Every structure is written in C-alpha cells, then in structure tokens.
Amino acid sequence: MKHHRISLRVPAQPEYLALVRMVIAGTARIEPILDDERVDDLRVIVSEACTNAIEALRERGSDPSTAAITIECHLTDDAVELVVADEGGGFDPGGLDVLPEVTDPSRLRIERGLGIPLIRALSDESEITSGPEGTQVRVVLQATEPPAV
Amino acid sequence: MKHHRISLRVPAQPEYLALVRMVIAGTARIEPILDDERVDDLRVIVSEACTNAIEALRERGSDPSTAAITIECHLTDDAVELVVADEGGGFDPGGLDVLPEVTDPSRLRIERGLGIPLIRALSDESEITSGPEGTQVRVVLQATEPPAV
Amino acid sequence: MIELGLELSERDGWAVLAVSGEVDVATAPRLRERLVGLVGEGRTRIVVDLEKVDFIDSTGLGVLVGALKRVRTNEGDLALVCTGPRILKVFEITGLTKVFAIHRTVDEATLAG
Amino acid sequence: MIELGLELSERDGWAVLAVSGEVDVATAPRLRERLVGLVGEGRTRIVVDLEKVDFIDSTGLGVLVGALKRVRTNEGDLALVCTGPRILKVFEITGLTKVFAIHRTVDEATLAG
Ligand SMILES: Nc1ncnc2c1ncn2[C@@H]1O[C@H](COP(=O)(O)OP(=O)(O)O)[C@@H](O)[C@H]1O
Ligand SMILES: Nc1ncnc2c1ncn2[C@@H]1O[C@H](COP(=O)(O)OP(=O)(O)O)[C@@H](O)[C@H]1O
C-alpha cells in the first residue's frame, strides 16, 4: 500500500492559487491513481477551498504578510485525500443560503455561493469543520481505476 | 517590506524532485526579485540539497513511505532564503573530501561529491547544520536588482 | 506570474472577448473590469470566448454571471463559446448551462443572437 | 511523471544520444543505463547532445563523468553538445568544462573527434 503525504503552506494571497493548483495536480500525477478529469476536479476543489480561506483571513483582518493556508494531500492506492485549513473566522457550513433554482430569474442576482456546492459535487466525500479558530475542508476522491494489486 | 513564506513537505523520493523545483521556481516568480538565471541557480540548489536528503534518509533505512523532506522558502524585497531539512543521519560538512583538481587524471574517478560545491558556488550565502538528528541546508540568494523603494 | 489573456475583436456587431489562461480570484478582476468597461462603452452584445481557458472556478463563473446580468439590464446579450469538457463541467454542475447560451464557435454564437 | 527523452542516431561512426527533459536522481539512472548499454555494444565513440535538456544537476554530471571514464578505458571518446547557458553553468562551476569536450553542434563534435 502506497502512502504519499505532501503538505504545502503558502501565504493567503490570490497569486499563490495557481501554484497550489500546480502542486496538487503534480502530486496527483506522480502517483497516477486519478485520470485527467479527476485531476482537474481536484484543481477546482483546491482552488475553491483556498479562495474561501483567503477571503476568510482577509475578512478577519489577518496580517496579509503572515496569514497562511495549509494544504495537505494524502495519496494511497485507493484515494486522494485533500485537506485545506485556514485560521480565518469560520462559518456555519450547514447554514449556507440555498441557491435559488437556476431557472429562477433571481438566480442572476447570485454571483457567489458556487464554491462550496462545487467542492461537494466534485468530490466523492467532503466534510467541512469550522469554528472560531478556523476552517478545515476535507475531501476524498476515489481512485479512478481499481488499484493494481 | 514584503514577507512571503512558503513551506513544502514531500516524501523523500526522487519522483518529487521535479515538483519541488517547480514550486521553488514558481514561488520565486510570484515575487520576481531574482532574474531567470538566479531562479535557475535556485532550482539546482534545491535539487542538490533534496537529493542529498533523500540519500541520507535512505541510508538511514527510514521508512520510505513516511520519510519526508521539508523545504522552506522565504522571500523579502532583498533576498530569497531557502532551507532544506531532513531527519537523516547527518554528516560532517567540514570534513568532506577535497575534490582532486579537475585536470588531475584521478578526477575522472570522481562521479560524486559535486552537490555541495554547487550549492556553495551558486548561493550568496550558505550554511549547513548537521547532526545525528538530521541536516539543514540554508542558502541565501540576494535580489538581482536593488529593491524598489 | 499568472497571465490572463484578453483579446477583443468584432464580429457582426458583437464584441468578441477571447479569454486565455486561468480565471481565478487572482485574475478574475481583470476580466470583470474589461467586461464592465465594454458595457460602459455601450457594447451590450458580447461573446466571451472561453476556448483558450485552461481553468475557471466559481470566481470566474461569478464574473460571467455578473456580466450577463449587466448586459441584460441594458437590453443586450452575452453568449459564451466553450467546448472544453473540463470548463463545461463547472458550468453544468452549477446549473449555469441553463443560464448561459453556450456555443461551439464564435460564428454560431453571433448567428444565434 | 518526469519524462526523460533519449533518442539515438548515427553520425559518421559516432553514436549520437540526444537527451531531453530534466536529468536528476529520478531520471539519471535511465541515462546511465543507456550509456552503459551503448558501451556494452561496443559503441565507444559517443556524442551526448544536451541541447534539449532543461535541467541537470550533479547526479546527471556524475553519470556523464562515469560514461566518459568508461569509453576512455575502451579507447573511445565521449563528446558533449551544449550551448544553453544554464546547463553550461553547472559544467563550469564544477570544472567539468575542462574534462569534457563541449561543442556547439553535433557536426562540430563528430568532426572534432
Ligand atoms: N474557509 C472559510 N472560512 C470562513 N467562511 C467561509 C469559508 N468557506 C466558506 N465560507 C463562507 O461560506 C460562504 C459560501 O462559500 P462559497 O460557496 O465558496 O461561495 P462564495 O465564496 O462565492 O461566497 C462564503 O461566502 C463564506 O461566508
Ligand atoms: N543531508 C545530508 N545528510 C547526510 N549526509 C549528507 C547530506 N548532504 C550531504 N551529505 C554527505 O556529504 C557527501 C557529499 O555530498 P555532495 O557534495 O552533495 O555529493 P554526493 O551527494 O554526490 O556524494 C555525501 O556523499 C554525503 O555523505
């Protein structure tokens, strides 16, 4: 059973998002248990989670030169687990506004609130733990192919 | 004064070297205080230091699925500082064999021992701290251009 | 470091904005600014060509929704060109394929309008 | 993930091995194997073309030194082709520009031999 664990800590700044996506995609390709489409899903997920973390830290007024996000990625033969953690102010993941139906004309008013739905839809398993000390978004993507035994 | 701090922890395995170089070069380009040639120097330095760390951990018989290397990169307006740390068995950085002169015919026997000389030559400042708990290689590359004030 | 390409051209009375690169919270402001600028200049029939976009996340989607809203309140229209499955996927999941007219080519987009 | 390209061709009795990609401890074993294989087949006049190498570190240099030694003990020769400043720099710093014959083109390398 393979176990690869990588972790990355970067400043909570938008310029680092492309780098984070590159690292996560690069890691997923070192042990290619996900096909390209799933690697792309992972890029979207990590980008959404880090974007939220950056915003939470900015809202909290954290010092932009020290505020950081931690991204951990854990690969086994079966799955990729990704955890994005921040020390922002937290939120109630259960209490998010429900999006109006897309066909509802008021849907056009909504330019936001698509991040967490995307994270949930693109992962096989997702879990958000949040409190005043910060937020952890954990997702799991199952291996695309059954592991070679 | 800018302060960017990124850290990366990856398995102590050769397949991760390309990723590490990519992260370090990518970070150096987010805050472009080094020109392309110096970014390339940084890629060589981090690769050499991580290669040594990987070998040290392997020699120590560390579990390859958990043995890891930590790479930290700290950018300010003036300089990039890079620290590569491992928990391998350590060595005496002052007691390395002196390479025979390159024109000496016996030079051809030497296929190794070029890593640390390269690290030293390519950095503006370098420091190796090593002991039975592991090794830290720290280098500094000064900004190519004087910082914009 | 992150480049976002924005190239403007004309086609049959439509402003065609070809976007290339990665659209995320670092680069989306540039896209938003450009679209707001177009509408400000009275260009309310806009095609956004996403064929050369390698990555888009919800921030990018939000900018496009905002621009659509803006042109509609000016009696205009905004159409997308996109065939890449990785980009289409985020539109599908968020239900935005029902909000936007998504075409396979710029010609198709401008003819359909 | 990391690709190392190795392409073999012939030029005036020299075996020309064109290397592309990144040569580090992950990929150097493939280069070493190929060079050892060539010498094993009696090919002892070898040009290693580094023009398409994006990165080389001391592990890669070690493989080249090892190969040079090997061909010399077989009365052969090994020449390099390299003009890229980032690659040349590591040869210069390690003093290996004095150990290897480094040429600007494959033609120059095979003619010089
Ligand atoms: N890491 C986080 N820390 C604090 N609040 C968060 C975090 N992630 C999400 N949120 C809250 O949840 C809301 C919905 O997030 P999301 O679905 O990604 O949409 P958006 O970020 O566009 O608002 C955010 O507006 C924010 O209030
Ligand atoms: N991180 C490290 N941990 C333990 N030993 C090390 C480390 N880095 C270097 N060394 C020792 O120093 C020697 C010289 O290193 P270097 O100059 O990089 O050449 P090479 O790795 O090719 O031998 C190594 O062979 C090793 O014994």
Side-chain angles (χ1 to χ4, degrees):
Chain A
M1 186 81 167
K2 283 190 286 261
H3 274 280
H4 289 251
R5 209 176 272 283
I6 77 119
S7 75
L8 176 66
R9 193 165 165 83
V10 296
Q13 293 174 22
E15 306 94 279
Y16 282 88
L17 286 173
L19 186 72
V20 169
R21 291 193 296 267
M22 205 169 71
V23 171
I24 294 305
T27 303
R29 289 205 179 94
I30 284 173
E31 289 295 342
I33 65 165
L34 301 182
D35 63 21
D36 284 351
E37 183 179 346
R38 297 298 273 159
V39 172
D40 282 332
D41 293 347
L42 203 57
R43 296 204 306 151
V44 174
I45 292 168
V46 76
S47 201
E48 296 293 349
C50 289
T51 302
N52 285 341
I54 291 168
E55 279 168 9
L57 286 157
R58 189 168 46 201
E59 274 167 27
R60 183 170 229 189
S62 303
D63 178 354
S65 74
T66 57
I69 326 169
T70 305
I71 300 102
E72 302 209 357
C73 190
H74 181 194
L75 275 89
T76 64
D77 290 328
D78 306 320
V80 176
E81 181 188 43
L82 176 81
V83 180
V84 175
D86 67 66
E87 287 129 42
F91 72 114
D92 174 12
L96 292 178
D97 292 345
V98 175
L99 291 181
E101 277 299 305
V102 283
T103 44
D104 184 331
S106 73
R107 182 69 182 74
L108 268 190
R109 262 187 278 123
I110 312 290
E111 287 163 43
R112 310 206 24 169
L114 300 173
I116 289 175
L118 268 172
I119 292 173
R120 291 194 170 133
L122 293 172
S123 57
D124 292 317
E125 208 178 292
S126 72
E127 186 188 0
I128 302 178
T129 321
S130 190
E133 270 81 60
T135 300
Q136 280 215 355
V137 176
R138 182 183 153 273
V139 300
V140 176
L141 274 73
Q142 301 296 339
T144 314
E145 307 275 58
V149 204
Chain B
M1 187 81 168
K2 285 191 285 262
H3 276 279
H4 288 252
R5 209 176 272 282
I6 79 121
S7 75
L8 176 66
R9 192 164 164 85
V10 296
Q13 293 173 23
E15 307 93 280
Y16 282 88
L17 285 174
L19 187 72
V20 170
R21 290 193 297 265
M22 203 168 72
V23 171
I24 294 305
T27 302
R29 287 202 180 95
I30 284 173
E31 288 295 341
I33 65 166
L34 300 183
D35 63 20
D36 285 351
E37 182 179 349
R38 296 298 273 159
V39 172
D40 283 331
D41 293 347
L42 203 57
R43 297 203 307 151
V44 173
I45 292 168
V46 77
S47 201
E48 297 293 348
C50 289
T51 302
N52 285 342
I54 291 169
E55 279 167 9
L57 285 158
R58 189 168 46 203
E59 274 166 26
R60 184 172 226 184
S62 303
D63 178 354
S65 74
T66 56
I69 326 170
T70 305
I71 301 103
E72 303 210 356
C73 189
H74 182 196
L75 274 90
T76 64
D77 290 328
D78 307 320
V80 176
E81 181 189 45
L82 176 81
V83 180
V84 175
D86 67 65
E87 287 128 43
F91 72 114
D92 174 12
L96 292 178
D97 291 347
V98 174
L99 291 180
E101 277 299 305
V102 283
T103 43
D104 184 329
S106 72
R107 182 68 182 75
L108 268 191
R109 262 188 277 124
I110 312 289
E111 287 164 43
R112 310 207 25 171
L114 299 174
I116 290 175
L118 267 172
I119 292 173
R120 292 195 169 131
L122 293 172
S123 57
D124 292 317
E125 212 178 289
S126 70
E127 186 188 359
I128 302 178
T129 322
S130 191
E133 270 80 59
T135 301
Q136 281 215 354
V137 175
R138 182 184 152 273
V139 300
V140 176
L141 274 74
Q142 301 296 339
T144 313
E145 306 277 57
V149 203
Chain C
M1 177 207 181
I2 318 149
E3 298 296 328
L4 185 79
L6 293 174
E7 245 178 72
L8 188 66
S9 61
E10 277 288 326
R11 180 84 59 101
D12 302 329
W14 289 75
V16 180
L17 188 63
V19 186
S20 56
E22 310 199 347
V23 190
D24 64 11
V25 75
T27 58
R30 271 175 269 162
L31 176 61
R32 181 187 297 114
E33 224 169 78
R34 193 63 179 267
L35 288 167
V36 168
L38 283 174
V39 179
E41 294 161 17
R43 309 299 317 254
T44 56
R45 284 161 61 92
I46 300 175
V47 174
V48 180
D49 179 353
L50 301 173
E51 284 299 85
K52 291 199 177 133
V53 168
D54 301 314
F55 179 83
I56 192 165
D57 66 12
S58 69
T59 313
L61 298 180
V63 168
L64 295 174
V65 171
L68 176 62
K69 193 172 64 177
R70 206 174 280 266
V71 296
R72 289 238 176 117
T73 57
N74 288 279
E75 267 111 66
D77 205 0
L78 183 140
L80 302 180
V81 174
C82 179
T83 59
R86 64 166 72 170
I87 305 297
L88 282 174
K89 189 170 184 179
V90 295
F91 281 93
E92 273 154 22
I93 288 175
T94 52
L96 291 176
T97 42
K98 293 185 196 123
V99 171
F100 287 103
I102 303 183
H103 300 279
R104 278 166 306 172
T105 62
V106 172
D107 277 339
E108 193 184 295
T110 55
L111 289 176
Chain D
M1 176 204 185
I2 318 148
E3 300 294 329
L4 184 79
L6 293 175
E7 245 177 73
L8 188 66
S9 60
E10 276 289 325
R11 181 83 58 102
D12 303 328
W14 290 74
V16 180
L17 187 64
V19 186
S20 56
E22 309 200 346
V23 190
D24 64 11
V25 74
T27 59
R30 270 175 270 162
L31 176 61
R32 180 185 297 117
E33 222 167 81
R34 193 63 179 268
L35 287 167
V36 169
L38 283 174
V39 180
E41 294 160 19
R43 309 302 315 257
T44 55
R45 284 160 63 93
I46 300 175
V47 174
V48 179
D49 179 354
L50 300 174
E51 284 299 83
K52 292 201 175 128
V53 168
D54 300 315
F55 179 85
I56 191 165
D57 65 12
S58 68
T59 313
L61 298 181
V63 168
L64 295 174
V65 171
L68 176 61
K69 193 173 63 177
R70 205 175 281 266
V71 296
R72 290 238 176 116
T73 56
N74 287 280
E75 267 112 66
D77 205 359
L78 184 140
L80 302 180
V81 175
C82 180
T83 59
R86 62 166 72 170
I87 306 297
L88 282 175
K89 190 171 183 179
V90 295
F91 281 93
E92 272 154 22
I93 288 176
T94 52
L96 292 176
T97 42
K98 292 185 197 123
V99 172
F100 288 102
I102 303 182
H103 300 279
R104 279 166 306 171
T105 63
V106 172
D107 276 339
E108 193 183 295
T110 54
L111 288 177

